[in-house]
Amino acid sequence: MEFVSIVIGSKSDYGVMQECAKILEKFDVPYEMIISSAHRSPERTKKYVLDAESRGAQLFIAAAGMAAHLAGAIAAMSTKPVIGIPMAGGALDGLDALLSTVQMPSGMPVATVAIGKSGAINSAYMAMQVLALKDKELAEKLKEDRVMKAKNVELDSAQIEHLLPR
């Protein structure tokens, strides 16, 4: 079975990463989530990545804060796409994580999204866009979602347009 693998660096990231999981669930995309650290449990991370690939992981979403080497460590172990989510926290409130995630050496790509909740949500959408390259049903669901987002903007605007001077 094909699935998305979500790896989070610590339990403190779980609340934010539930937002990613909710989006995948909404679109019926199978996923699994584990906690594993590039620094505190490197052997566990390596073992998990290799096992997940053998069981059908199509891509990895990695969330970590501060030094944020988790996405890069996974990219070094796998040729599957890796999406990195820098998490807020620490002295620099996520800027350090952003810089660590986005500055990968040539040949070790990590797609990096926004810090925190927006990044968690966007990582789910990006993962689904990759999967939709060979899944027409998922591609249609994503198109329908975009149409609904546009309609919601119009509905939201209609609620306030009466306040504008004519």
Side-chain angles (χ1 to χ4, degrees):
M1 176 186 78
E2 295 182 348
F3 64 96
V4 173
S5 171
I6 303 170
V7 184
I8 61 177
S10 71
K11 189 176 179 182
S12 64
D13 302 329
Y14 180 68
V16 171
M17 292 310 296
Q18 282 181 300
E19 299 300 323
C20 175
K22 285 179 193 175
I23 299 296
L24 295 172
E25 289 169 7
K26 175 182 170 185
F27 286 85
D28 299 317
V29 173
Y31 71 92
E32 63 184 30
M33 185 185 309
I34 72 156
I35 299 170
S36 194
S37 170
H39 299 113
R40 294 183 300 271
S41 59
E43 287 304 315
R44 172 183 165 80
T45 303
K46 182 177 182 179
K47 196 178 208 179
Y48 171 75
V49 168
L50 298 176
D51 178 63
E53 278 190 342
S54 74
R55 293 183 293 107
Q58 296 300 294
L59 55 90
F60 293 90
I61 296 174
M66 297 172 67
H69 291 123
L70 184 57
I74 293 171
M77 297 173 210
S78 176
T79 58
K80 301 285 186 188
V82 178
I83 303 168
I85 306 164
M87 301 302 286
L92 299 179
D93 201 28
L95 180 58
D96 48 349
L98 173 63
L99 294 174
S100 295
T101 307
V102 78
Q103 295 187 100
M104 291 298 298
S106 299
M108 293 293 144
V110 169
T112 306
V113 292
I115 297 169
K117 182 179 174 182
S118 292
I121 292 168
N122 282 341
S123 72
Y125 277 101
M126 183 176 286
M128 291 187 299
Q129 288 173 333
V130 171
L131 297 174
L133 292 171
K134 60 180 185 175
D135 183 336
K136 290 181 181 181
E137 185 179 328
L138 181 57
E140 280 304 311
K141 287 180 182 179
L142 287 168
K143 286 178 188 175
E144 290 169 14
D145 184 65
R146 290 280 176 101
V147 169
M148 288 307 301
K149 282 178 174 28
K151 285 182 180 175
N152 287 338
V153 168
E154 291 176 19
L155 292 172
D156 289 346
S157 183
Q159 292 176 3
I160 67 164
E161 286 176 11
H162 70 279
L163 301 175
L164 299 174
R166 301 249 176 206

